[in-house]
Amino acid sequence: MKIYDLYSGIFLVVISIVTCLLSYRLGLGEIHNPGPGLIPFGVASVLFLMSLGLIIRCITERIKGPLGGQAFKDVSWQRVILVLISLLGYGVGFNRLGFSICTFLLIIFLLGVVGRQRWWLAILASILTVVISYFIFVVWLEVPFPKGPFGI
């Protein structure tokens, strides 16, 4: 880790402590009547724990020594680019093709092309994903997804 991670961790610890103190002054409320400072206090507490973890990680890596850039050693960048392009295409075509068709094509592409699964498995998983997510979001939660050119 770089020294900048240590500096940013210390900065975030200070910010989270100040935010906790200010939100505590607003009032946390009671268990059945939360006050206006409860949510900022909770978020600042989580930020404090995460930044404290960053500081501890930086210090322990400084003591052990650097690992030397092994984080992205075996990454297939072609697959990463394919996933990003497919997600961009999903976002662009979502309103035009509709939820069902776009999701079906995305899952087939991700499993069949990027994941290199068997095609029958990719098609089955795509159909199940569309059907299950349709029932969860459209039928149960009543989320208005766009319909495609075929009305589905």
Side-chain angles (χ1 to χ4, degrees):
M1 303 222 72
K2 301 198 185 294
I3 192 72
Y4 301 115
D5 291 333
L6 181 65
Y7 294 152
S8 62
I10 293 169
F11 176 75
L12 290 173
V13 161
V14 171
I15 292 293
S16 63
I17 289 173
V18 169
T19 305
C20 279
L21 292 174
L22 292 175
S23 60
Y24 183 77
R25 284 182 38 194
L26 280 175
L28 301 179
E30 298 174 5
I31 202 152
H32 295 292
N33 187 17
L38 182 65
I39 299 295
F41 185 82
V43 171
S45 299
V46 170
L47 177 65
F48 174 78
L49 292 174
M50 292 173 66
S51 54
L52 191 63
L54 179 65
I55 291 171
I56 292 170
R57 185 172 154 196
C58 287
I59 291 172
T60 56
E61 284 188 8
R62 283 262 177 202
I63 293 170
K64 290 180 185 176
L67 294 175
Q70 295 178 357
F72 299 107
K73 182 180 177 186
D74 295 327
V75 173
S76 173
W77 290 105
Q78 295 164 340
R79 287 184 177 186
V80 171
I81 291 172
L82 282 175
V83 168
L84 291 175
I85 290 173
S86 67
L87 290 175
L88 178 68
Y90 183 77
V92 169
F94 190 73
N95 286 328
R96 292 187 186 119
L97 296 176
F99 167 74
S100 301
I101 295 173
C102 230
T103 304
F104 178 76
L105 293 175
L106 175 73
I107 301 298
I108 279 185
F109 182 78
L110 290 177
L111 290 177
V113 176
V114 179
R116 297 181 183 148
Q117 297 292 323
R118 294 187 175 113
W119 282 104
W120 66 269
L121 182 65
I123 292 171
L124 180 67
S126 297
I127 291 171
L128 285 175
T129 302
V130 169
V131 169
I132 291 171
S133 60
Y134 181 83
F135 278 111
I136 289 173
F137 291 110
V138 176
V139 175
W140 185 36
L141 297 175
E142 298 176 356
V143 176
F145 282 145
K147 297 185 186 281
F150 306 115
I152 55 172

